[in-house]
Amino acid sequence: MSDLFHHFINGDLHDSFAYFGMHKHGSDIVIRTFFPYAKSIEVINKNNNNSLGFMNEIYNSSVFELVVKKGKKTPYFLRITNSHNHVMDLEDAYRFHSIFGEIDRHLLAEGTHFKSYNKMGAHPCELEGVRGTSFAVWAPNACRVSVVGDFNGWDGRRHIMRYHPSCGVWEMFVPHVSVGDVYKFEIKSKDGKVMPLKADPYAFCAEKPSKTGSVVHGVQDYKWQDKNWMKSRDADRNSPLNIYEVHAGSWKRKNGGEFLSYKELADDLIPYVKWMGYTHIELLPISEYPFEGSWGYQTIGLYAPTARFGNPEDFKYFVDKAHQEGIGVILDWVAGHFPKDEHGLGCFDGTKIYEHEDARKGEHKGWGTLIYNYSRKEVKNYLLSNALYWMDVFHIDGLRVDAVASMLYLDYCREPGEWVKNEYGGRENIEAVLFLKELNEVIYRKFPTAITIAEESTDWGMVSQPTYDGGLGFTYKWNMGWMHDTLRYIKQDPIYRKHNHKDLTFGMLYFYNENFVLPISHDEVVHGKSSLIGRMPGDEWQRFANLRVYLTMMMTYPGKKTLFMGCEFGQYDEWKYKGSLDWHLNQYAVHKGAQLVTRDLNHLYKDEKSLYEFDNDPEGFQWIECNDAENSVLSYIRKSDEEHMVVALNFTPVIREEYRLGVPEYGYYKEVFNSDSEYYSGSNVGNLGLIHSDKIPMHGFDYSIKVCLPPLAGIILKKK
């Protein structure tokens, strides 16, 4: 037995439950435990509080044993006297049975345990009348896995977990461990190497960075007040969707530079979003991440809302408050890569179980990160469960999936010879394609009113079409082409815009291939690209006029909308994640005017079915004149089942008097919006009152109206 205990002390014992705890030995009962430097250990019968006897030290002042002659198995606890003569009563973790049933083991092995978060990770619970925490972690190639923390002096010999070879999971119930306790896993690989301590991949809470420990929390109940929202929520593509993209750490900060908490964001951000007229908030990744400069896109704790802003219940409060105000919450979700930090998923059990063995498939050279192995069913289950976790536990309304293009192509950001072809000799990542399809299928099956949005920058076909038709199954796809074309156009001096007019019109040639979201995101206002207002040419008045007409085009063009924080009021500086937006700028008329333009466009968009109902149907849009490059004027009609609106955009500083537009109906048209209004710090040129159509054919219509187009401005007319 001394050899056995020697292996245990060295952390080489694979199945500690076979030797420690209470065991039948012939007609006797043998109880063994490991407790370094105990002075004495007495075993107490829990049924009657009688002593079963004192244990004998049998190895190295740490392994103790009691033999009860002709004894029977019974619940017990240990009364330990330490070297300082302090007496404490402790439950023995090795006396408790497994919490993993056969069904759980089977589903985990099969990769279809889509609520695996109810078993994996750390769950405070009661077992056999004892309060403690159950721990479970997947490490199929480990020689030994221990849970360590302050509760055992970070000693990996104290709580060596039970192994289930059928699913590769190690689990253990540890008495007396409760909510708030910090823990990690100590893993010894099969080659005898003790890995750096690993955070729990399923941790529901983590220490505040730069600390990297996992925190016992569990999937706690919360008294939600959003029943009406959840009941009425829909994923109808004919509904308005106008997203305010937010980085929680830099939207606004306290005077001392500290972050706002989730609760403070709820009390400040949500009223602002409601006042501005957005339908949804999209948060840059809030899953726990170690590096602030990654903005959350190098996440390690996929299941833990970052502790920078509070605990998981605080984040639930934020979502609940948004829903009560009629605002949806979308999360940026990163399933394309993960960082190499030593406490993370990389080489987790001494082998590459989350990433690929071959670096040509398993590493993003450009980002310095690792790529999930989507062909491994356990990895796929981990990611699918996480997507459902946010919707189930936190009532999240949708996921915007980051960097989809990097997942779809094996040669993404790779030179020839740096990537491996698929089994058919192509560049498509077949495993990632199947994963994305299953992701959308599982989400729609479990949460049919949730949405998914793909950040996909290539011409991959049918990204937002159903999987049963051969698509990837996303609800929407970011329209990166529209974004690049229109930003390239608007930065031109107006005198040159007539030579680039196609940048405004080309997008309609492919628009109905996908269900698009028009994105002006965080990526467009960093890394030397300038802020949105900073891209605009001319003096201050012209720059803000350009911003206003650009926003008017965006909000009236077909497609759902995403606008990054700060763009709505013309933040001059590029976005800086280390500070707050420059809210003080709104004391100046031009910035306040930009903010009010955005607000009024948002509310008009929500109120007018013509601007959203047929976003993905050619019936909802019709050009009036798309070829007036000489005047840099664009005009079109937006339609619903019941009515229509006329939009005319003038991208030069020249006033277009008596500009004639064809219209589909006879009658009066009213100017309901003008971005040149003095209310927005414009020059107040426009069309007062009602405009009556004439029986003069124009632009293929039987009728036309004569309007005044303000300089660098857009007008919206509604048929009365």
Side-chain angles (χ1 to χ4, degrees):
M1 286 292 271
S2 61
D3 287 342
L4 170 70
F5 297 131
H6 173 76
H7 288 302
F8 178 82
I9 297 298
N10 287 320
D12 297 325
L13 192 61
H14 187 74
D15 185 8
S16 56
F17 279 82
Y19 304 99
F20 288 86
M22 177 179 282
H23 296 275
K24 193 76 174 172
H25 187 71
S27 61
D28 301 332
I29 291 293
V30 178
I31 304 169
R32 297 190 191 97
T33 193
F34 173 83
F35 202 97
Y37 312 118
K39 188 174 182 179
S40 68
I41 302 178
E42 184 180 12
V43 181
I44 308 296
N45 185 332
K46 290 195 71 171
N47 290 333
N48 53 26
N49 269 349
N50 290 335
S51 175
L52 296 176
F54 282 85
M55 306 183 86
N56 296 315
E57 176 202 324
I58 60 174
Y59 187 80
N60 201 28
S61 300
S62 55
V63 179
F64 295 81
E65 178 184 271
L66 172 66
V67 178
V68 182
K69 295 294 184 180
K70 296 183 180 180
K72 294 181 180 180
K73 283 192 173 184
T74 183
Y76 66 93
F77 64 88
L78 305 175
R79 182 161 290 158
I80 299 171
T81 303
N82 66 15
S83 56
H84 301 289
N85 291 321
H86 176 70
V87 179
M88 49 190 166
D89 290 345
L90 295 177
E91 297 284 350
D92 184 2
Y94 290 104
R95 82 169 180 85
F96 293 94
H97 61 78
S98 170
I99 61 165
F100 265 65
E102 183 178 346
I103 293 177
D104 291 312
R105 295 195 298 271
H106 174 74
L107 292 176
L108 287 167
E110 192 181 58
T112 57
H113 202 317
F114 296 137
K115 285 196 172 185
S116 58
Y117 48 86
N118 286 332
K119 284 293 183 179
M120 304 295 289
H123 294 268
C125 59
E126 184 175 300
L127 196 61
E128 299 179 20
V130 177
R131 298 298 303 176
T133 297
S134 67
F135 295 91
V137 63
W138 179 59
N141 301 315
C143 174
R144 185 260 302 171
V145 179
S146 304
V147 58
V148 295
D150 290 333
F151 47 84
N152 60 16
W154 298 88
D155 186 340
R157 302 167 298 175
R158 288 282 305 279
H159 293 109
I160 299 176
M161 303 171 79
R162 178 189 289 108
Y163 183 56
H164 296 285
S166 64
C167 60
V169 170
W170 300 73
E171 55 88 12
M172 187 179 204
F173 174 78
V174 182
H176 314 301
V177 175
S178 59
V179 171
D181 286 344
V182 178
Y183 70 100
K184 283 186 176 180
F185 294 115
E186 182 180 283
I187 300 174
K188 191 167 189 177
S189 64
K190 286 188 175 178
D191 63 3
K193 178 183 177 183
V194 177
M195 304 296 297
L197 293 182
K198 293 289 187 177
D200 184 356
Y202 277 88
F204 306 115
C205 189
E207 288 187 293
K208 186 178 293 187
S210 58
K211 293 182 178 180
T212 58
S214 301
V215 177
V216 175
H217 190 81
V219 182
Q220 296 186 7
D221 290 334
Y222 177 85
K223 293 183 179 180
W224 290 92
Q225 306 294 320
D226 64 347
K227 181 178 180 180
N228 291 337
W229 168 268
M230 297 300 290
K231 187 176 180 180
S232 62
R233 184 180 76 177
D234 69 70
D236 185 0
R237 291 191 178 107
N238 293 328
S239 297
L241 180 63
N242 186 15
I243 301 166
Y244 187 53
E245 189 188 32
V246 173
H247 177 253
S250 59
W251 179 74
K252 187 180 289 185
R253 291 198 180 185
K254 300 175 186 178
N255 290 335
E258 299 93 351
F259 295 128
L260 296 183
S261 69
Y262 290 121
K263 287 190 172 182
E264 289 168 330
L265 282 166
D267 295 338
D268 204 349
L269 171 60
I270 290 169
Y272 177 75
V273 169
K274 185 176 182 179
W275 178 76
M276 285 294 294
Y278 292 100
T279 65
H280 288 70
I281 299 168
E282 178 185 320
L283 294 173
L284 270 63
I286 55 95
S287 297
E288 194 58 80
Y289 55 97
F291 177 45
E292 198 74 39
S294 77
W295 316 331
Y297 288 98
Q298 292 192 12
T299 182
I300 279 185
L302 270 185
Y303 286 79
T306 177
R308 291 166 174 83
F309 316 122
N311 63 39
E313 273 53 58
D314 295 336
F315 183 57
K316 290 175 186 175
Y317 174 88
F318 175 88
V319 178
D320 200 12
K321 188 76 175 287
H323 287 173
Q324 291 174 51
E325 296 297 333
I327 298 165
V329 179
I330 298 168
L331 292 188
D332 261 15
W333 190 65
V334 186
H337 63 123
F338 58 92
K340 295 179 179 179
D341 298 62
E342 67 175 15
H343 67 285
L345 302 180
C347 205
F348 188 77
D349 65 358
T351 63
K352 297 179 179 180
I353 58 173
Y354 283 94
E355 68 271 38
H356 292 268
E357 287 283 351
D358 190 335
R360 293 175 299 171
K361 294 181 70 176
E363 185 173 352
H364 272 303
K365 294 287 187 181
W367 298 339
T369 54
L370 301 173
I371 302 171
Y372 288 105
N373 184 352
Y374 306 109
S375 66
R376 188 154 194 170
K377 57 185 180 296
E378 297 94 343
V379 174
K380 196 161 61 169
N381 193 112
Y382 171 73
L383 294 170
L384 294 175
S385 289
N386 182 254
L388 297 176
Y389 165 79
W390 290 109
M391 295 176 180
D392 177 20
V393 177
F394 290 91
H395 289 200
I396 293 301
D397 302 290
L399 301 176
R400 176 264 192 189
V401 183
D402 176 63
V404 170
S406 75
M407 301 168 69
L408 293 174
Y409 297 98
L410 294 166
D411 62 345
Y412 186 86
C413 287
R414 296 180 185 274
E415 298 297 326
E418 295 181 347
W419 59 283
V420 182
K421 294 180 179 180
N422 65 31
E423 58 190 288
Y424 303 106
R427 58 196 283 255
E428 299 81 11
N429 188 335
I430 296 172
E431 291 85 1
V433 172
L434 294 175
F435 164 73
L436 290 170
K437 288 184 175 183
E438 187 173 1
L439 168 72
N440 287 308
E441 289 170 353
V442 168
I443 287 175
Y444 294 150
R445 187 164 64 244
K446 303 289 186 181
F447 299 97
T449 61
I451 64 173
T452 57
I453 304 170
E455 184 209 9
E456 204 288 305
S457 55
T458 73
D459 60 356
W460 188 284
M462 303 179 71
V463 171
S464 58
Q465 301 303 320
T467 57
Y468 56 75
D469 281 339
L472 293 183
F474 286 92
T475 320
Y476 299 104
K477 172 183 172 174
W478 269 17
N479 192 336
M480 309 290 276
W482 174 90
M483 179 268 296
H484 287 300
D485 289 347
T486 58
L487 288 179
R488 182 171 59 241
Y489 177 88
I490 203 68
K491 76 176 183 179
Q492 297 285 326
D493 188 294
I495 198 171
Y496 302 118
R497 285 177 178 168
K498 62 184 178 181
H499 305 299
N500 300 279
H501 195 71
K502 69 180 188 315
D503 284 343
L504 298 181
T505 60
F506 178 72
M508 287 309 300
L509 295 179
Y510 60 83
F511 189 84
Y512 299 107
N513 294 344
E514 299 281 359
N515 302 304
F516 280 123
V517 172
L518 310 182
I520 300 298
S521 74
H522 62 281
D523 279 329
E524 309 318 314
V525 294
V526 291
H527 301 323
K529 295 177 183 177
S530 187
S531 63
L532 187 57
I533 187 66
R535 294 171 183 258
M536 306 299 166
D539 58 22
E540 183 182 72
W541 188 92
Q542 289 193 357
R543 294 175 84 176
F544 278 90
N546 274 302
L547 176 63
R548 295 192 299 267
V549 69
Y550 184 82
L551 293 172
T552 304
M553 176 183 64
M554 178 180 180
M555 294 305 298
T556 57
Y557 198 89
K560 310 310 180 187
K561 328 293 178 186
T562 292
L563 188 68
F564 186 59
M565 63 182 198
C567 295
E568 78 273 19
F569 61 82
Q571 163 125 347
Y572 275 127
D573 291 339
E574 281 191 340
W575 169 52
K576 296 179 177 64
Y577 71 90
K578 291 184 177 180
S580 172
L581 294 181
D582 295 329
W583 292 103
H584 65 278
L585 292 175
N586 284 310
Q587 66 184 302
Y588 302 109
V590 287
H591 292 279
K592 191 64 179 179
Q595 185 185 50
L596 293 173
V597 156
T598 308
R599 178 181 186 272
D600 288 354
L601 283 169
N602 288 349
H603 283 281
L604 187 69
Y605 167 76
K606 283 200 304 183
D607 294 342
E608 297 290 346
K609 294 174 68 176
S610 301
L611 296 179
Y612 65 77
E613 187 175 40
F614 294 139
D615 265 337
N616 307 111
D617 188 330
E619 291 297 316
F621 176 87
Q622 185 176 4
W623 287 117
I624 296 175
E625 175 57 270
C626 62
N627 296 313
D628 190 2
E630 188 62 33
N631 290 313
S632 297
V633 171
L634 202 64
S635 54
Y636 45 85
I637 297 171
R638 294 301 313 276
K639 307 179 210 176
S640 69
D641 259 340
E642 303 164 355
E643 54 193 10
H644 68 273
M645 305 185 85
V646 172
V647 180
L649 307 163
N650 177 13
F651 290 98
T652 70
V654 179
I655 300 173
R656 306 293 178 188
E657 300 276 5
E658 299 187 351
Y659 191 91
R660 191 165 287 278
L661 297 170
V663 292
E665 293 181 11
Y666 185 74
Y668 286 97
Y669 287 79
K670 181 180 181 181
E671 185 180 88
V672 296
F673 177 84
N674 183 337
S675 69
D676 192 50
S677 166
E678 64 180 356
Y679 181 63
Y680 308 131
S681 291
S683 59
N684 219 34
V685 174
N687 303 271
L688 299 177
L690 300 177
I691 305 168
H692 197 280
S693 61
D694 303 313
K695 293 183 180 179
I696 300 175
M698 193 74 178
H699 300 130
F701 297 95
D702 293 334
Y703 309 99
S704 61
I705 55 176
K706 192 163 55 178
V707 299
C708 175
L709 297 183
L712 293 174
I715 61 172
I716 304 173
L717 309 172
K718 184 175 181 181
K719 172 72 166 49
K720 298 296 289 184

